[in-house]
Amino acid sequence: MSEMPFILSNRDEDRKIFEAMINKTMASFFRTMGDGKAFSGIDPYSLRRKVKEMGFLPEKGIGFDAALSKVEETVLANLLRTWSTSYMPHLHSPALLETICSELLIASFNDSMDSWDQGPAATEVEEAVIGGLLSLFGYPEGSDGTFTSGGSQSNISAIIAARDYYLDRVFSTDTKKKGMPPEYSTLRLYTSEISHFSMDKACHIMGLGYDSVRKIPVDDKCRIDLKAFERMVEEDRAKGLHPFCAVATIGTTDFGSIDPIGGMREICDRYGIHLHADAAYGSGAIMSSTYKSRLGDLSLADSITIDFHKMFLLPISCSAVLMKNGKKLECFQLHADYLNREEDEEDGYINLVGKSMQTTRRFDALKVLMAFQTRGREGFDEMITKVIDNASHFFHLINNDEDFISSVEPELSSVVFALKDGDEVNRRVRRMLLEKGTVIGQTVKDGKVMLKFTLLNPNLEKEDFPPIISEIKKCRDKVKEEM
Ligand SMILES: *Cc1c(COP(=O)(O)O)cnc(C)c1O
């Protein structure tokens, strides 16, 4: 029996094959990188047909070279180029080179975060990185955290922990064992009307439903209206409802607006509410010596969501949730005989499965370690300060241009604006740009269709804006001719 092909092993031949495959893969990537455009512009129907034509599972494999060339032609050619400076619709960034290299190591070793014996150094690195993050965000001794698959999972993890703690404290319920008490449906979560939809999704998954999410109005700067927040809490309490959690958005997905964490803390303290900071977007600004004060004091929050695959420019996925009272994360603790034996934990073998919703889990913390070591705080300061400066510069260009309507002045790196010509023109302009390989965002504000630039790419220069603005105007003229 010969050895199985294409499986990592210590044999010399396999190492050579692996190296050659990596070189071929890189060559394929460089051939398809393109000329700077964000997208080939292919329409969805043609792309769907081409993908189908590749087939699914041939009886006999075609081998790596043929598979790679098939993928190069159909898939790589039509992938989105996140590094393009004409890509700015979402909180979706180009990846730092050292972190792409880390991905190769993460996949090659394929260690897992559930137990110490599945990732000895991985476990110790994640714990050390979490420790560093806890102090970066000003959390005290006794705080704790874990890496997650993304901001949505970080948010739901925090909300579940808040719920279990609340039910234990207020209804003396052991939810892990007994499930939810009869009063469960009276629980309410508070967040702004423009917060991320993962809060609604979380409350649905947790059996509370969308209606348990109380949407607080925002002021003219898209920040939570504190008076309305307190009024809603009081009204709900008077009705016999139970406010258990509030979520401050530290960087709303569309506007980058930042809720007042200090004011929310005072209200939450008055009513015994867990305050979660959804800093999936804004957390990156902690690295900017110029702008970090805009975030407010995040250490006032009971838990914090950090996304590394947004402002921090790490490859997807990479996120963490921090918990000021680390004990609240014990809601995910469960002992399995085969995995995380208590006797091992007494001897210093940490099993991180006990802090997470996931079991098998990627060693994403390596990417943070590599990026932080490579660039230092100064390196991140420069990149993140630059993208926030860019947003402010673009906002002022739009604000002084009669063809556009501007929106709130950005605190982070997103600018929402519109052409003065109405919803349909704005909609069609965005679509026309996509077909030409320039990808920008679209959203709605006060019932109006708006365009959006989410500026995460530090390679974008101030000089790049005037040509993009004139491209938008050219599209507008063409769209108006066609209408
Ligand atoms: C992106 C985002 C999320 C969701 O994070 P994922 O990593 O996409 O799951 C949550 N909250 C805010 C404010 C976000 O911008």
Side-chain angles (χ1 to χ4, degrees):
M1 221 11 234
S2 63
E3 300 281 335
M4 289 289 181
F6 306 130
I7 294 181
L8 202 56
S9 87
N10 285 89
R11 297 187 319 154
D12 255 0
E13 303 134 77
D14 285 339
R15 282 161 44 160
K16 283 199 187 103
I17 290 171
F18 183 36
E19 194 177 354
M21 285 168 79
I22 288 173
N23 291 335
K24 284 177 189 169
T25 305
M26 288 317 297
S28 188
F29 172 72
F30 286 126
R31 275 195 298 277
T32 45
M33 265 190 99
D35 54 5
K37 266 202 214 160
F39 175 50
S40 66
I42 190 171
D43 71 274
Y45 298 103
S46 313
L47 184 53
R48 205 162 300 150
R49 199 184 55 245
K50 277 167 165 269
V51 168
K52 260 203 161 139
E53 279 166 10
M54 283 196 300
F56 169 56
L57 178 65
E59 194 51 38
K60 216 170 160 43
I62 60 175
F64 178 75
D65 291 355
L68 182 64
S69 96
K70 217 177 194 182
V71 162
E72 177 176 327
E73 191 188 320
T74 305
V75 184
L76 304 191
N78 296 305
L79 283 178
L80 200 279
R81 279 88 175 108
T82 46
W83 58 89
S84 165
T85 50
S86 322
Y87 182 64
M88 49 191 96
H90 304 291
L91 288 164
H92 184 193
S93 70
L96 304 175
L97 293 179
E98 71 277 16
T99 61
I100 305 174
C101 299
S102 311
E103 286 283 3
L104 183 59
L105 293 173
I106 292 167
S108 300
F109 280 92
N110 205 29
D111 280 22
S112 179
M113 305 311 305
D114 20 358
S115 58
W116 205 89
D117 63 0
Q118 296 181 84
T123 300
E124 298 302 334
V125 167
E126 178 168 315
E127 281 293 272
V129 170
I130 289 287
L133 292 169
L134 294 170
S135 47
L136 183 64
F137 284 88
Y139 268 9
E141 192 75 17
S143 54
D144 204 350
T146 180
F147 274 73
T148 70
S149 64
S152 303
Q153 194 186 58
S154 293
N155 285 342
I156 193 174
S157 300
I159 298 168
I160 290 173
R163 174 198 66 184
D164 284 11
Y165 186 77
Y166 186 88
L167 290 178
D168 178 44
R169 186 165 56 86
V170 176
F171 299 108
S172 312
T173 314
D174 181 356
T175 52
K176 256 194 209 177
K177 244 192 177 135
K178 304 281 181 200
M180 300 305 140
E183 298 89 347
Y184 187 46
S185 65
T186 60
L187 264 59
R188 292 293 177 273
L189 179 142
Y190 300 77
T191 189
S192 93
E193 57 186 340
I194 56 167
S195 70
H196 194 261
F197 64 80
S198 50
M199 261 53 79
D200 304 76
K201 237 179 171 172
C203 286
H204 161 224
I205 295 168
M206 291 161 60
L208 285 166
Y210 294 165
D211 288 352
S212 70
V213 182
R214 303 284 272 128
K215 299 283 171 74
I216 308 161
V218 292
D219 62 16
D220 56 355
K221 291 194 165 149
C222 292
R223 299 173 306 196
I224 261 181
D225 176 341
L226 289 172
K227 286 213 173 77
F229 174 31
E230 182 150 27
R231 200 178 329 115
M232 283 164 89
V233 168
E234 280 183 347
E235 281 169 10
D236 286 348
R237 279 165 49 101
K239 281 188 232 160
L241 299 169
H242 289 90
F244 79 105
C245 183
V247 179
T249 311
I250 306 302
T252 55
T253 311
D254 273 341
F255 305 97
S257 51
I258 296 166
D259 288 335
I261 195 91
M264 288 183 76
R265 177 76 269 170
E266 283 172 26
I267 294 168
C268 289
D269 278 345
R270 270 204 284 286
Y271 302 98
I273 300 172
H274 178 109
L275 177 59
H276 176 63
D278 177 5
Y281 180 7
S283 48
I286 196 101
M287 298 304 225
S288 167
S289 46
T290 316
Y291 297 118
K292 71 174 169 198
S293 61
R294 287 186 179 178
L295 300 178
D297 181 0
L298 294 190
S299 74
L300 294 174
D302 293 306
S303 51
I304 307 173
T305 288
I306 305 166
D307 258 3
F308 293 101
H309 54 224
K310 290 179 173 170
M311 283 198 113
F312 285 97
L313 312 181
L314 265 56
I316 299 164
S317 64
C318 197
S319 177
V321 60
L322 308 182
M323 194 68 63
K324 195 191 266 176
N325 173 358
K327 284 207 172 316
K328 290 187 187 175
L329 274 181
E330 284 175 7
C331 64
F332 299 116
Q333 181 78 261
L334 188 95
H335 284 281
D337 293 334
Y338 80 92
L339 193 60
N340 51 346
R341 291 157 295 265
E342 283 173 81
E343 78 248 22
D344 287 348
E345 291 177 4
E346 279 156 18
D347 293 331
Y349 294 97
I350 316 164
N351 299 309
L352 295 182
V353 68
K355 292 196 272 186
S356 174
M357 292 176 70
Q358 293 167 268
T359 306
T360 304
R361 191 158 58 78
R362 293 166 48 84
F363 179 26
D364 287 321
L366 181 66
K367 295 183 282 193
V368 177
L369 177 72
M370 277 295 288
F372 281 18
Q373 289 289 317
T374 301
R375 292 166 198 268
R377 209 199 46 78
E378 280 181 14
F380 275 94
D381 188 354
E382 192 184 346
M383 293 191 296
I384 289 171
T385 301
K386 182 173 174 186
V387 298
I388 299 175
D389 282 339
N390 276 345
S392 162
H393 178 76
F394 179 67
F395 173 80
H396 286 106
L397 289 180
I398 288 292
N399 211 22
N400 294 322
D401 189 323
E402 292 182 343
D403 290 3
F404 293 98
I405 305 163
S406 64
S407 173
V408 285
E409 188 160 357
E411 300 221 60
L412 294 174
S413 62
S414 298
V415 185
V416 174
F417 63 102
L419 284 154
K420 279 198 170 141
D421 311 81
D423 290 356
E424 191 54 24
V425 171
N426 281 293
R427 247 186 235 123
R428 290 206 201 179
V429 163
R430 188 199 65 94
R431 188 66 76 73
M432 187 178 279
L433 287 166
L434 176 68
E435 286 158 6
K436 292 159 141 236
T438 296
V439 191
I440 70 167
Q442 178 184 321
T443 188
V444 171
K445 179 163 196 299
D446 303 328
K448 279 203 177 71
V449 173
M450 305 293 283
L451 302 174
K452 177 171 77 157
F453 278 13
T454 311
L455 303 169
L456 294 183
N457 190 338
N459 278 330
L460 195 77
E461 300 296 337
K462 292 198 169 81
E463 303 82 73
D464 293 324
F465 291 119
I468 301 174
I469 292 173
S470 58
E471 200 187 347
I472 291 175
K473 290 184 184 178
K474 260 191 226 145
C475 287
R476 173 203 56 195
D477 296 343
K478 221 157 156 211
V479 159
K480 287 176 87 173
E481 263 170 43
E482 287 169 4
M483 276 169 81

